Amino acid sequence: MGNPKESKGNDSILSKALQQYIRLLQERPVITKSVTNSIVSGFGNIISQYVAPDPTTGGRINWKSVFAYTSFGFFINGPLIHHFYAFLEKMFPKDKPNSKWKRVLFDRLIFAPPFLLVFLYYVSIVEGHGSQGALKRIKDTYWMILKLNLSVWSIVQYINMNYVPLKFRTLFGNFCALIWMIFISIKRRQALS
């Protein structure tokens, strides 16, 4: 069995890390969410490359792809999602009728389709495929990924927007997105192979 003092020390480290993260969420929410999002996005991309190796790299990690996902998480997804959730809270306050469903419908039908286009275009450009290559990749993968996004993320977003406190929504979404990023990277790679 482990040493009780050692276990208490580990709990203390985890507790302190969580307290520090919560403090940063309060003091610097956008940058904290951006950093968290970039780490999760990059990590998800690396895992996806191990699970479904890219034949064009001979199975080696494509660092351009990792950078594309990481930078998208930092510069676009983190800040945008922070402000988007705050906007939804103001637009559809919890005390108004049907606000739970209105938030989800707005997210799924108004926000998600163009957001996915921006994501696919940005990632393809940063990976070095140029504008024409990015448009071709969008044409090849957009509808498939959008349909999957609407079916899978609708449930996740319903839970996230209605039961997770506002300051933790990006974090909750990030951890769900880790699995999604792995999945979307694999699907994108399979569709383009």
Side-chain angles (χ1 to χ4, degrees):
M1 285 203 182
N3 183 345
K5 287 184 180 179
E6 185 179 301
S7 177
K8 188 175 181 181
N10 291 339
D11 290 345
S12 180
I13 290 171
L14 290 175
S15 177
K16 286 179 182 177
L18 182 59
Q19 288 172 357
Q20 179 73 353
Y21 184 77
I22 291 170
R23 184 185 65 77
L24 289 170
L25 279 175
Q26 294 295 104
E27 294 175 7
R28 300 174 154 247
V30 176
I31 191 71
T32 302
K33 292 172 185 178
S34 295
V35 169
T36 305
N37 199 293
S38 68
I39 291 168
V40 170
S41 296
F43 186 62
N45 183 268
I46 289 170
I47 292 171
S48 75
Q49 290 189 53
Y50 277 113
V51 173
D54 184 348
T56 64
T57 66
R60 291 184 309 273
I61 296 294
N62 179 344
W63 292 105
K64 279 186 177 181
S65 184
V66 173
F67 178 74
Y69 279 72
T70 302
S71 63
F72 182 83
F74 185 80
F75 293 115
I76 298 172
N77 201 34
L80 182 62
I81 296 301
H82 166 80
H83 293 294
F84 177 66
Y85 286 147
F87 165 79
L88 285 178
E89 285 298 305
K90 289 178 186 169
M91 185 83 163
F92 307 109
K94 287 187 179 190
D95 60 346
K96 299 293 181 192
N98 299 313
S99 62
K100 288 180 177 183
W101 293 107
K102 288 176 182 176
R103 276 189 225 121
V104 173
L105 288 172
F106 188 91
D107 173 66
R108 305 290 61 223
L109 302 176
I110 307 297
F111 181 76
F115 177 80
L116 184 56
L117 279 173
V118 170
F119 168 76
L120 291 171
Y121 188 79
Y122 178 94
V123 167
S124 293
I125 291 292
V126 175
E127 285 177 338
H129 301 289
S131 188
Q132 291 300 319
L135 293 174
K136 182 182 179 331
R137 286 169 177 255
I138 288 169
K139 182 181 173 195
D140 293 344
T141 63
Y142 178 74
W143 290 112
M144 173 196 61
I145 292 173
L146 180 62
K147 287 187 272 186
L148 290 168
N149 179 290
L150 292 173
S151 63
V152 173
W153 276 94
S154 294
I155 296 164
V156 171
Q157 286 297 71
Y158 180 82
I159 293 166
N160 195 13
M161 287 189 250
N162 294 301
Y163 299 103
V164 176
L166 180 60
K167 69 181 175 183
F168 295 118
R169 286 185 192 159
T170 302
L171 181 63
F172 176 81
N174 282 339
F175 286 110
C176 294
L178 176 62
I179 296 163
W180 176 250
M181 283 292 179
I182 294 166
F183 178 76
I184 199 171
S185 296
I186 291 168
K187 284 293 185 189
R188 221 175 130 249
R189 200 167 294 115
Q190 288 172 344
L192 300 172
S193 295

